[in-house]
Amino acid sequence: MTIQQIKYVLGVADCGSLNRASEKLYISQPSLTSAVHELEYEIGFQIFSRSSRGVAVTEHGKQFIEDARKLYKNYETFVTKYTEKEKKNFGVSTLYYAFARTAFVDLVKRFSPEGYDFAFREMKASEVIDDVAQGRSELGIIYLSDGNRHDIQKLLDTNQVIFHHLTECNAFVYLYKDHPLAEKSSISLDELSDFQFVTYDKTELSAFFSKEVLERRELTQAITVADRSTVLSLLKSLNGYTFLSGIIGEESDGDYIPIPLKNIEEDYTRTFELGYITKKDLHMNNIGLTYIDNIRRILHIAGFTC
């Protein structure tokens, strides 16, 4: 009994006809018939009954076909494991940054001919860290601030993930272009009090403001959404706003604009340390290094020092 014979028998069972099976298997019908007969002779019973209407699986043949399918599936898995080249993958998980998307598009254009499978995920900081820790993404893009540094660093250490500094950036208010405050050069929290706050993740507000400020300004009473398109829709339809820790000039999305957030009376820093994360002891390959180079180039164009 050979794997080739089993393949032929399964082909006949699937087609219900020796003629159609021979076409599908690219073998002459006499050779296929001979191979099936030889197998039936070896195992001591008929797998198929023949008639003018074609072939049908016999009662003994049904169990044989069932077992043969399992065997052939295992064989295909075995062949794939040891003969096919390993598929190349590259993934990035990031907070909602336009520069990260731009750098990724440039990367895909360059490396697509090499047969990579690409993945780009925008999510919360804790989810970015988990993606990198679990190997779903090679790189993650997040930020640290006085407000979130302790909690984020604890997550990084627990998951054996390392933060690599890129640059520093400031806090912005993000608005639709027709928002009543859109013409201002900077915006205070007092000026935002009459407008609806929209956010991806309330917990990340601690990176912007102290607990006292959050409670006093009622910023925890926000509309929380799960994706970027919904945020943009609500900013436009409700004259809403959200906060960004990012790169001014790269976060603008057509009709939406970032405006610097004014300092308020508190001993609290709103300077953000932007960086990328990797698994501990990871030696980045060429595609990962190229992605970081793309980001550094974009940040440099925007006037940031890396």
Side-chain angles (χ1 to χ4, degrees), residues 5-274:
Q5 286 174 316
I6 290 175
K7 178 181 179 181
Y8 290 162
V9 166
L10 293 177
V12 174
D14 290 339
C15 293
S17 162
L18 286 164
N19 185 43
R20 288 196 297 271
S22 67
E23 294 176 356
K24 182 178 179 180
L25 295 168
Y26 301 102
I27 183 176
S28 68
Q29 185 171 334
S31 295
L32 177 59
T33 300
S34 176
V36 173
H37 278 310
E38 288 175 6
L39 179 57
E40 289 177 324
Y41 178 80
E42 182 179 349
I43 62 178
F45 59 84
Q46 280 192 315
I47 302 171
F48 303 105
S49 61
R50 285 81 168 168
S51 71
S52 59
R53 291 175 294 181
V55 298
V57 180
T58 64
E59 287 301 316
H60 281 97
K62 289 179 181 178
Q63 184 61 55
F64 181 89
I65 294 297
E66 181 179 339
D67 292 338
R69 288 194 192 283
K70 294 176 184 178
L71 175 64
Y72 196 75
K73 183 177 181 180
N74 289 335
Y75 168 75
E76 289 183 315
T77 301
F78 178 82
V79 170
T80 299
K81 180 177 180 179
Y82 289 102
T83 62
E84 290 189 0
K85 292 182 179 179
E86 184 178 354
K87 186 68 177 179
K88 295 186 289 187
N89 301 285
F90 183 78
V92 174
S93 296
T94 176
L95 300 178
Y96 299 83
Y97 286 128
F99 69 83
R101 294 190 296 275
T102 302
F104 190 78
V105 169
D106 292 343
L107 190 81
V108 171
K109 290 178 179 178
R110 176 172 175 178
F111 285 90
S112 284
E114 297 188 18
Y116 274 89
D117 276 346
F118 294 98
F120 185 82
R121 308 174 184 88
E122 293 181 313
M123 52 185 56
K124 302 174 185 178
S126 59
E127 295 171 337
V128 172
I129 294 171
D130 186 63
D131 259 17
V132 173
Q134 298 302 321
R136 289 185 289 271
S137 289
E138 280 72 18
L139 296 172
I141 308 297
I142 63 171
Y143 64 82
L144 302 178
S145 75
D146 285 356
N148 76 352
R149 189 179 299 271
H150 178 270
D151 291 338
I152 293 296
Q153 191 61 57
K154 185 177 180 180
L155 274 177
L156 294 172
D157 293 342
T158 300
N159 288 279
Q160 297 291 295
V161 173
I162 304 297
F163 180 88
H164 308 268
H165 174 86
L166 281 171
T167 191
E168 292 185 348
C169 51
N170 297 313
F172 302 100
V173 182
Y174 201 45
L175 309 167
Y176 183 62
K177 66 178 183 179
D178 292 333
H179 191 283
L181 302 178
E183 299 300 321
K184 300 185 70 66
S185 58
S186 63
I187 299 176
S188 69
L189 287 180
D190 286 334
E191 292 172 304
L192 293 169
S193 60
D194 293 331
F195 302 100
Q196 181 66 59
F197 175 46
V198 183
T199 183
Y200 298 109
D201 183 8
K202 290 181 184 178
T203 63
E204 292 189 4
L205 284 174
S206 63
F208 289 81
F209 311 107
S210 67
K211 181 178 179 181
E212 291 73 24
V213 169
L214 292 175
E215 292 176 348
R216 187 167 71 247
R217 303 287 179 165
E218 298 183 340
L219 289 173
T220 54
Q221 298 178 13
I223 298 176
T224 304
V225 300
D227 61 87
R228 180 180 178 83
S229 61
T230 304
V231 168
L232 297 181
S233 176
L234 293 177
L235 296 189
K236 179 178 180 180
S237 59
L238 297 179
N239 270 338
Y241 69 94
T242 193
F243 297 112
L244 295 178
S245 56
I247 310 305
I248 192 167
E250 279 296 326
E251 284 298 334
S252 183
D253 195 342
D255 292 334
Y256 299 85
I257 55 175
I259 299 176
L261 178 64
K262 286 182 181 178
N263 289 327
I264 55 180
E265 295 180 3
E266 56 168 328
D267 295 327
Y268 209 72
T269 302
R270 282 199 302 279
T271 297
F272 299 87
E273 183 183 2
L274 181 72

